[in-house]
Amino acid sequence: SQTIHQWPATLVQPVGSPLSLECTVEGTSNPNLYWYRQAAGRGLQLLFYSVGIGQISSEVPQNLSASRPQDRQFILSSKKLLLSDSGFYLCAWSEGQGYGYTFGSGTRLTVV
Amino acid sequence: AQKVTQAQTEISVVEKEDVTLDCVYETRDTTYYLFWYKQPPSGELVFLIRRNSFDEQNEISGRYSWNFQKSTSSFNFTITASQVVDSAVYFCALSALANQAGTALIFGKGTTLSVSS
């Protein structure tokens, strides 16, 4: 069966520090991968999506970047965090449109 | 453009009441998929249902039911005899071929449901 792992679960980082959140999927190959952010009390905003290794599309201009170094690995990064980067980050995967989307357990990031 | 609107920001009910969560979507595509997710206080997203644009049959799963009406572009979710454990944020989402973000889900802003005993 397919599983998705996301870590860490919580993170407190100072402004200006770097960030690296990792997401891995098991039990499938060539998944579509997504990063979403949920700001406090708000909906889910799509940040990045990837349909293959090295293929990253960004939805919203921001202080973050994403990379897909391996088929089932998706990394969210920042060189210098801003206060506005605080939020709940969710990774998800899908086999494609019409299939289900499975979400990781999320990372709660607080930038102080 | 693809868009999902959940006009109800917060709903409060007492246990055993029925409650309907509204969802209105916009898409120019003829092939699309609609979803509902539940987000309990722990934060993870729990999949509830997926419906494709060619299937307008209503669906019932236990206390949950969904009413899909293409004529009004709505995909409403009803919980019958609500329970305290139903308290959560509920998201409606859309996936359309014409979506510039590939197959990504576009979410509504969510409805926070509070069920009191």
Side-chain angles (χ1 to χ4, degrees):
Chain A
S1 64
Q2 301 92 353
T3 56
I4 180 168
H5 303 280
Q6 188 180 342
W7 67 92
T10 59
L11 193 58
V12 180
Q13 293 284 96
V15 169
S17 64
L19 173 74
S20 181
L21 302 181
E22 188 162 345
C23 173
T24 60
V25 180
E26 295 178 358
T28 187
S29 59
N30 197 32
N32 291 345
L33 296 171
Y34 313 90
W35 276 111
Y36 286 87
R37 176 171 61 198
Q38 184 178 25
R42 300 177 69 177
L44 289 139
Q45 179 185 40
L46 176 66
L47 300 177
F48 300 95
Y49 68 97
S50 172
V51 298
I53 296 175
Q55 300 178 57
I56 308 294
S57 296
S58 173
E59 282 298 289
V60 182
Q62 59 213 316
N63 184 43
L64 303 168
S65 62
S67 62
R68 185 170 177 174
Q70 300 180 45
D71 182 45
R72 288 167 289 179
Q73 184 184 30
F74 204 24
I75 299 173
L76 183 70
S77 305
S78 174
K79 292 183 179 178
K80 289 186 178 181
L81 283 169
L82 305 172
L83 288 174
S84 57
D85 291 323
S86 294
F88 189 55
Y89 289 82
L90 284 158
C91 178
W93 79 273
S94 171
E95 291 183 21
Q97 193 200 32
Y99 295 90
Y101 296 76
T102 304
F103 287 81
S105 53
T107 296
R108 202 164 300 277
L109 172 66
T110 303
V111 182
V112 296
Chain B
Q2 329 295 329
K3 186 179 178 181
V4 176
T5 301
Q6 294 180 257
Q8 304 150 308
T9 306
E10 296 183 13
I11 300 177
S12 295
V13 299
V14 178
E15 258 192 323
K16 299 184 182 178
E17 284 185 21
D18 298 347
V19 58
T20 295
L21 309 181
D22 298 332
C23 173
V24 175
Y25 62 92
E26 294 177 29
T27 178
R28 294 182 179 179
D29 208 337
T30 56
T31 301
Y32 53 89
Y33 296 82
L34 296 164
F35 299 76
W36 276 95
Y37 283 86
K38 174 182 179 179
Q39 186 180 42
S42 56
E44 80 273 20
L45 282 176
V46 178
F47 168 77
L48 296 177
I49 190 172
R50 177 184 71 221
R51 177 53 52 86
N52 74 57
S53 53
F54 299 108
D55 182 4
E56 287 193 72
Q57 277 194 330
N58 292 331
E59 184 159 338
I60 298 174
S61 177
R63 297 183 297 106
Y64 296 169
S65 63
W66 290 269
N67 184 358
F68 177 30
Q69 292 194 344
K70 290 178 73 172
S71 60
T72 56
S73 296
S74 63
F75 187 42
N76 296 337
F77 173 31
T78 297
I79 302 175
T80 303
S82 59
Q83 300 176 1
V84 173
V85 293
D86 295 327
S87 297
V89 182
Y90 290 86
F91 290 98
C92 181
L94 165 71
S95 172
L97 278 175
N99 187 354
Q100 290 183 353
T103 61
L105 285 175
I106 304 301
F107 284 87
K109 293 188 176 180
T111 297
T112 300
L113 174 64
S114 298
V115 182
S116 57
S117 57

Short mmCIF file of all heavy atoms in Angstrom, two decimals, chain A residues 37-43 84 86-88 108-109:
data_model
loop_
_atom_site.label_atom_id
_atom_site.label_comp_id
_atom_site.label_asym_id
_atom_site.label_seq_id
_atom_site.Cartn_x
_atom_site.Cartn_y
_atom_site.Cartn_z
N ARG A 37 0.12 25.19 1.58
CA ARG A 37 0.29 25.90 2.85
C ARG A 37 -1.08 26.37 3.33
O ARG A 37 -1.91 26.85 2.56
CB ARG A 37 1.20 27.12 2.71
CG ARG A 37 1.32 27.94 4.00
CD ARG A 37 2.38 29.01 3.91
NE ARG A 37 2.11 29.97 2.85
CZ ARG A 37 3.03 30.78 2.35
NH1 ARG A 37 4.27 30.75 2.80
NH2 ARG A 37 2.70 31.63 1.40
N GLN A 38 -1.25 26.25 4.64
CA GLN A 38 -2.48 26.72 5.27
C GLN A 38 -2.08 27.71 6.35
O GLN A 38 -1.52 27.34 7.38
CB GLN A 38 -3.24 25.54 5.89
CG GLN A 38 -4.57 25.92 6.48
CD GLN A 38 -5.30 24.71 7.04
OE1 GLN A 38 -4.70 23.71 7.40
NE2 GLN A 38 -6.62 24.78 7.10
N ALA A 39 -2.36 28.99 6.08
CA ALA A 39 -2.11 30.00 7.09
C ALA A 39 -3.20 29.90 8.16
O ALA A 39 -4.28 29.33 7.91
CB ALA A 39 -2.11 31.38 6.46
N ALA A 40 -2.94 30.43 9.33
CA ALA A 40 -3.86 30.31 10.45
C ALA A 40 -5.26 30.79 10.07
O ALA A 40 -5.43 31.92 9.62
CB ALA A 40 -3.34 31.10 11.64
N GLY A 41 -6.25 29.91 10.24
CA GLY A 41 -7.63 30.28 9.99
C GLY A 41 -7.99 30.48 8.53
O GLY A 41 -9.04 31.04 8.21
N ARG A 42 -7.13 29.99 7.65
CA ARG A 42 -7.39 30.19 6.22
C ARG A 42 -7.37 28.87 5.49
O ARG A 42 -7.08 27.82 6.04
CB ARG A 42 -6.36 31.16 5.64
CG ARG A 42 -6.39 32.52 6.32
CD ARG A 42 -5.32 33.43 5.79
NE ARG A 42 -5.57 33.83 4.41
CZ ARG A 42 -4.79 34.69 3.76
NH1 ARG A 42 -3.73 35.18 4.34
NH2 ARG A 42 -5.08 35.02 2.51
N GLY A 43 -7.70 28.94 4.21
CA GLY A 43 -7.77 27.72 3.39
C GLY A 43 -6.42 27.24 2.95
O GLY A 43 -5.38 27.76 3.34
N SER A 84 6.09 35.85 7.64
CA SER A 84 4.90 35.46 6.87
C SER A 84 4.95 34.03 6.35
O SER A 84 3.98 33.53 5.79
CB SER A 84 4.71 36.42 5.69
OG SER A 84 5.86 36.42 4.87
N SER A 86 5.20 31.53 8.28
CA SER A 86 4.58 30.68 9.30
C SER A 86 3.29 30.08 8.75
O SER A 86 2.54 30.73 8.02
CB SER A 86 4.25 31.50 10.55
OG SER A 86 5.44 31.94 11.18
N GLY A 87 3.04 28.85 9.13
CA GLY A 87 1.81 28.20 8.68
C GLY A 87 1.92 26.69 8.80
O GLY A 87 2.88 26.16 9.33
N PHE A 88 0.91 26.05 8.28
CA PHE A 88 0.84 24.58 8.29
C PHE A 88 1.09 24.11 6.87
O PHE A 88 0.34 24.47 5.95
CB PHE A 88 -0.54 24.16 8.80
CG PHE A 88 -0.69 22.70 9.06
CD1 PHE A 88 0.17 22.03 9.92
CD2 PHE A 88 -1.71 21.98 8.47
CE1 PHE A 88 0.02 20.68 10.18
CE2 PHE A 88 -1.88 20.61 8.71
CZ PHE A 88 -1.00 19.96 9.57
N ARG A 108 3.89 21.97 11.12
CA ARG A 108 3.47 23.28 11.63
C ARG A 108 4.73 24.11 11.85
O ARG A 108 5.53 23.82 12.74
CB ARG A 108 2.70 23.11 12.94
CG ARG A 108 1.81 24.30 13.26
CD ARG A 108 0.77 23.95 14.34
NE ARG A 108 -0.12 22.87 13.98
CZ ARG A 108 -1.21 23.02 13.23
NH1 ARG A 108 -1.53 24.21 12.75
NH2 ARG A 108 -1.98 21.98 12.97
N LEU A 109 4.91 25.13 11.00
CA LEU A 109 6.09 25.99 11.05
C LEU A 109 5.75 27.33 11.70
O LEU A 109 4.81 28.01 11.28
CB LEU A 109 6.62 26.24 9.63
CG LEU A 109 7.74 27.28 9.51
CD1 LEU A 109 9.01 26.79 10.20
CD2 LEU A 109 8.02 27.61 8.04
#
